[in-house]
Amino acid sequence: MKAILKFNRLLVSSESHDVCFYCEFSSGANIISGRNTSGKSSLILSLLYTFGINDIKESLTEILSYQPTFRVDFSKTAEDKEDKYSIIRTQRSIYIKEPTGKVVPFHGINADNSAEHIALKEYVRGLVGFTLQLEQKGELKPAPLESMFLPYYISQSVGWVYLRESFSNLQYYKGFKDDYLDYYLGVSNSFDRVEHRQLTKRRDNLSADINNLRRYGKKAEFQFAKLVDEAFGAQAEEYIESYIKISNSLEEERRKYINLCNKLSLLQNHHKILKRTKSNIKKQNYNDVDRCPACTQVLTYSLEGLYSHYQKYNDTVELESHITEQLTDKKSEIHTSSKKITSITNEISKNYGALTSKAVDGVTFDQWISNKANAALYRKMQADIETLENELERIKSSLDSMTTEKETLTKRTNKETEFKRIFVKYMSLLKLKPLTDSRYLDLYKISSFPRQGVELHKTVMAYHFALNALIANSKSAHRLPFLLDAILKEDIDETNLDIILSFIGKNLPADTQAFISISEHIKDETRPDETLNPLEKIKVSEIKDIYFTESSKLIYIGEGKLERSFLSQPLDKHQEIHIDTVNIIAV
């Protein structure tokens, strides 16, 4: 559903100060004029603020100090049907009066993340059929209200220098520019954009990693290591296998040798005890009292004891003989094991020494060993490259399978061609030198322009008008009034002034309203010596008659004479709409 909104009238009232601003608007161009700092921007910002835009709250600080109530009466046209609404904003609440007379309130809307402001956003989005989704922290979320107004609002502070920055909180969304342009130009991007961006990022990272590994692998030390490794080839690998095998046998023999030595030590200690025991048994007397040969305990003499004495002695002699035989065997085994260890050690030394002294194509084994780590790292890098390339191919296939993305890119190209045609035409009308670099002509690439001063001002103006015309031609997104704040710069000469005003007057969108602020200073007759700069000498009423259609309306802030005069009308002159506003809030 394409909805068109038009602002019918604005009331900003302060009961505490008994002052207000009230104005009814033209359905065509509305030219806002007055002195610098009179409140021209405040009128445009009040329209935005009433709809729940909190981003511009700081710019309205002085107006908000009056504790005002904002009211905008507007019409929505959709499917050849026009409905009239009223939206009212107080310090903490917003009230929307629907065509049926029903009032929908939203309380606590000063913070964008509050539950009521989120509900308000959904209501306003539904009002105009605004469905833009933006990516935040890997998720697609409904776009904020600022993005609903962004293509139609060029701020005084940054709008004539930077693109898409009239509001300050939109560039934090990932891929904002592409999603924003796709939506307003009617380019379908219904494919999974989060997945597509993740795959694209992974593809770019893989490509970078592969290039880095290839570049790193070309270093001299890795190439030398590769050549050295190839020079020894199978011979070196065969040596390593045999070395590992014989080293294992050496280790096993050393463990066997240590075990034999431990057993020999145990047998030697056992043999010493047996000899001491046998000697003590011989010395024992078998009277009424005797002592134990081992612990010297007093023993009572008996026949049984005598028998036991001789039995122990015979056992000790037999055991001593057995232990002596074991000692001989263990010493023999230890000697054999020692000889075997020496033999294996000599064999390793002989074989290793032979290989280290050998050279293949001028490369020694020692050099091969020292470069083996680099060679292993080089092989690891090659394996990693192969793995990354396989993953890269899978990701490319996934991206290629997203046929919707291909269609989207084709549609973007078509839109860029159409934009370029309008943009170049508008730059020509503004008497600008043509741009040739695609960075400044292809819509999806443009982020800034290589110009300054009045040339930058006119180039950005051509961009905004061309984008607005392209959105109108697309007939897919909602249409809001074109809000152009401070269209003239102080350093614009009379020739460029005529060029800019003529361009604006002839190229304003025909399907929506326009609000254009221009500074003017009507000279006070009581101060004849007051000097004015060239722009201040121009009467906006004459500008209106020369450059704009008869349906356009001139709105003076402070009668063109007063500064800070936005809230300068007496509230009692507009009691009817003020009372109606109070009644809506009280429902």
Side-chain angles (χ1 to χ4, degrees), residues 348-584:
I348 290 175
S349 177
K350 178 182 178 182
N351 291 341
Y352 178 75
L355 189 59
T356 54
S357 62
K358 187 174 182 179
V360 177
D361 293 334
V363 178
T364 66
F365 184 73
D366 282 336
Q367 289 175 316
W368 179 81
I369 288 292
S370 64
N371 282 280
K372 193 63 179 173
N374 283 340
L377 180 56
Y378 180 82
R379 288 194 297 272
K380 177 66 167 57
M381 286 191 295
Q382 299 309 304
D384 288 345
I385 288 174
E386 182 178 357
T387 301
L388 295 177
E389 285 179 335
N390 291 335
E391 184 181 356
L392 181 59
E393 287 303 315
R394 290 195 299 271
I395 289 176
K396 285 181 177 179
S397 298
S398 298
L399 288 172
D400 290 341
S401 66
M402 292 183 172
T403 55
T404 308
E405 167 64 359
K406 294 180 181 179
E407 296 170 0
T408 297
L409 294 177
T410 301
K411 290 180 180 179
R412 285 179 180 176
T413 301
N414 294 336
K415 291 295 181 181
E416 285 187 325
T417 301
E418 187 179 354
F419 172 82
K420 181 178 178 180
R421 178 183 58 80
I422 302 172
F423 185 39
V424 170
K425 173 186 172 183
Y426 284 173
M427 284 195 292
S428 176
L429 292 175
L430 286 164
K431 308 300 181 185
L432 289 164
K433 293 180 180 179
L435 294 167
T436 57
D437 196 321
S438 62
R439 291 179 298 169
Y440 311 121
L441 292 172
D442 295 346
L443 180 59
Y444 283 83
K445 295 179 182 178
I446 298 173
S447 58
S448 62
F449 296 106
R451 288 173 171 168
Q452 58 186 353
V454 69
E455 285 195 342
L456 176 60
H457 184 81
K458 291 195 294 183
T459 304
V460 173
M461 181 174 290
Y463 172 90
H464 286 304
F465 272 73
L467 179 60
N468 195 293
L470 198 58
I471 295 172
N473 293 341
S474 299
K475 297 181 180 180
S476 57
H478 63 276
R479 297 286 286 158
L480 299 182
F482 205 16
L483 309 177
L484 309 173
D485 195 7
I487 63 169
L488 300 179
K489 298 170 65 70
E490 294 182 0
D491 59 349
I492 295 178
D493 56 36
E494 292 184 11
T495 301
N496 279 307
L497 181 66
D498 176 68
I499 293 171
I500 290 173
L501 292 174
S502 178
F503 171 80
I504 293 175
K506 294 177 181 178
N507 294 284
L508 285 173
D511 61 332
T512 61
Q513 288 172 295
F515 289 79
I516 307 155
S517 69
I518 307 174
S519 293
E520 177 183 318
H521 186 176
I522 298 177
K523 191 170 183 179
D524 191 341
E525 298 298 332
T526 63
R527 300 167 63 186
D529 296 331
E530 186 175 19
T531 58
L532 306 177
N533 66 44
L535 287 182
E536 290 177 331
K537 294 177 182 179
I538 300 173
K539 291 185 177 180
V540 178
S541 58
E542 295 177 358
I543 290 176
K544 173 186 173 298
D545 294 337
I546 297 171
Y547 299 103
F548 295 92
T549 63
E550 292 183 0
S551 63
S552 60
K553 179 174 182 177
L554 178 58
I555 303 168
Y556 272 116
I557 307 294
E559 299 179 348
K561 297 180 180 180
L562 304 175
E563 296 179 349
R564 290 180 167 77
S565 53
F566 181 66
L567 295 177
S568 60
Q569 301 175 25
L571 183 58
D572 57 11
K573 283 190 177 182
H574 307 287
Q575 281 299 303
E576 183 178 351
I577 187 173
H578 172 62
I579 293 172
D580 183 60
T581 302
V582 173
N583 290 336
I584 292 174

Side-chain angles (χ1 to χ4, degrees), residues 125-392:
R125 284 169 59 91
L127 189 67
V128 299
F130 181 55
T131 59
L132 173 61
Q133 301 275 316
L134 296 175
E135 183 182 343
Q136 186 178 41
K137 296 180 180 179
E139 298 180 8
L140 288 177
K141 298 181 179 180
L145 292 176
E146 287 83 352
S147 57
M148 191 179 91
F149 285 87
L150 182 61
Y152 306 113
Y153 171 55
I154 297 88
S155 70
Q156 177 182 2
S157 56
V158 297
W160 300 106
V161 178
Y162 303 107
L163 307 181
R164 299 175 295 276
E165 293 192 18
S166 289
F167 300 108
S168 62
N169 61 346
L170 297 175
Q171 301 303 325
Y172 295 104
Y173 292 94
K174 187 176 182 62
F176 170 75
K177 179 174 66 174
D178 289 351
D179 289 342
Y180 161 77
L181 292 174
D182 283 346
Y183 178 81
Y184 280 102
L185 301 182
V187 176
S188 173
N189 57 1
S190 57
F191 63 95
D192 191 336
R193 286 175 285 162
V194 173
E195 181 186 7
H196 181 266
R197 289 198 186 105
Q198 290 174 344
L199 288 174
T200 301
K201 182 179 179 180
R202 180 58 180 161
R203 179 196 64 192
D204 295 341
N205 289 340
L206 286 172
S207 297
D209 290 344
I210 290 170
N211 291 334
N212 288 335
L213 286 172
R214 284 175 175 166
R215 185 169 56 252
Y216 194 61
K218 291 180 181 179
K219 286 190 173 183
E221 56 266 33
F222 291 113
Q223 293 300 311
F224 177 74
K226 176 186 175 185
L227 293 174
V228 169
D229 198 44
E230 291 174 352
F232 275 90
Q235 183 179 4
E237 295 297 334
E238 182 181 349
Y239 164 79
I240 290 176
E241 290 179 5
S242 61
Y243 179 80
I244 292 173
K245 184 177 180 180
I246 198 169
S247 293
N248 290 338
S249 64
L250 176 62
E251 186 66 24
E252 181 65 28
E253 195 60 38
R254 283 173 174 168
R255 284 195 295 269
K256 178 181 178 181
Y257 179 83
I258 292 171
N259 187 41
L260 290 172
C261 290
N262 289 336
K263 288 182 178 180
L264 176 64
S265 177
L266 182 62
L267 289 172
Q268 287 174 337
N269 288 331
H270 196 178
H271 187 257
K272 288 179 182 179
I273 293 173
L274 287 173
K275 291 181 71 68
R276 188 181 303 117
T277 301
K278 186 175 72 172
S279 175
N280 288 336
I281 291 174
K282 282 184 176 181
K283 294 178 180 179
Q284 284 181 342
N285 296 316
Y286 300 100
N287 301 321
D288 292 339
V289 179
D290 211 338
R291 296 184 181 275
C292 172
C295 63
T296 67
Q297 180 181 354
V298 176
L299 302 174
T300 303
Y301 171 79
S302 64
L303 181 63
E304 292 81 1
L306 180 62
Y307 176 81
S308 175
H309 166 78
Y310 286 108
Q311 183 65 42
K312 287 178 181 179
Y313 180 80
N314 292 333
D315 289 346
T316 301
V317 172
E318 183 179 353
L319 183 58
E320 179 185 9
S321 175
H322 178 68
I323 293 298
T324 301
E325 291 178 2
Q326 285 188 326
L327 283 173
T328 303
D329 293 341
K330 290 299 177 218
K331 287 181 179 179
S332 177
E333 290 180 22
I334 289 173
H335 180 69
T336 300
S337 178
S338 177
K339 289 175 64 178
K340 192 171 182 179
I341 289 173
T342 302
S343 175
I344 295 173
T345 303
N346 292 335
E347 183 180 355
I348 290 175
S349 177
K350 178 182 178 182
N351 291 341
Y352 178 75
L355 189 59
T356 54
S357 62
K358 187 174 182 179
V360 177
D361 293 334
V363 178
T364 66
F365 184 73
D366 282 336
Q367 289 175 316
W368 179 81
I369 288 292
S370 64
N371 282 280
K372 193 63 179 173
N374 283 340
L377 180 56
Y378 180 82
R379 288 194 297 272
K380 177 66 167 57
M381 286 191 295
Q382 299 309 304
D384 288 345
I385 288 174
E386 182 178 357
T387 301
L388 295 177
E389 285 179 335
N390 291 335
E391 184 181 356
L392 181 59

Side-chain angles (χ1 to χ4, degrees), residues 2-64:
K2 177 185 175 183
I4 301 175
L5 261 59
K6 288 188 178 180
F7 302 143
N8 299 323
R9 58 182 179 175
L10 169 67
L11 171 70
V12 182
S13 58
S14 171
E15 282 189 326
S16 61
H17 293 75
D18 201 29
V19 293
C20 71
F21 173 86
Y22 175 77
C23 185
E24 295 180 1
F25 302 129
S26 165
S27 60
N30 294 273
I31 305 166
I32 308 163
S33 189
R35 289 193 65 172
N36 290 328
T37 71
S38 62
K40 300 182 298 299
S41 296
S42 296
L43 191 158
I44 294 175
L45 293 173
S46 294
L47 296 170
L48 298 170
Y49 184 72
T50 307
F51 276 82
I53 303 296
N54 292 322
D55 185 71
I56 45 87
K57 188 187 299 184
E58 186 175 347
S59 300
L60 285 172
T61 300
E62 187 173 338
I63 303 299
L64 293 175

Side-chain angles (χ1 to χ4, degrees), residues 105-143:
F106 301 91
H107 303 292
I109 42 76
N110 285 353
D112 288 351
N113 57 354
S114 70
E116 283 291 277
H117 194 280
I118 293 172
L120 169 68
K121 179 175 73 172
E122 290 305 309
Y123 183 95
V124 176
R125 284 169 59 91
L127 189 67
V128 299
F130 181 55
T131 59
L132 173 61
Q133 301 275 316
L134 296 175
E135 183 182 343
Q136 186 178 41
K137 296 180 180 179
E139 298 180 8
L140 288 177
K141 298 181 179 180

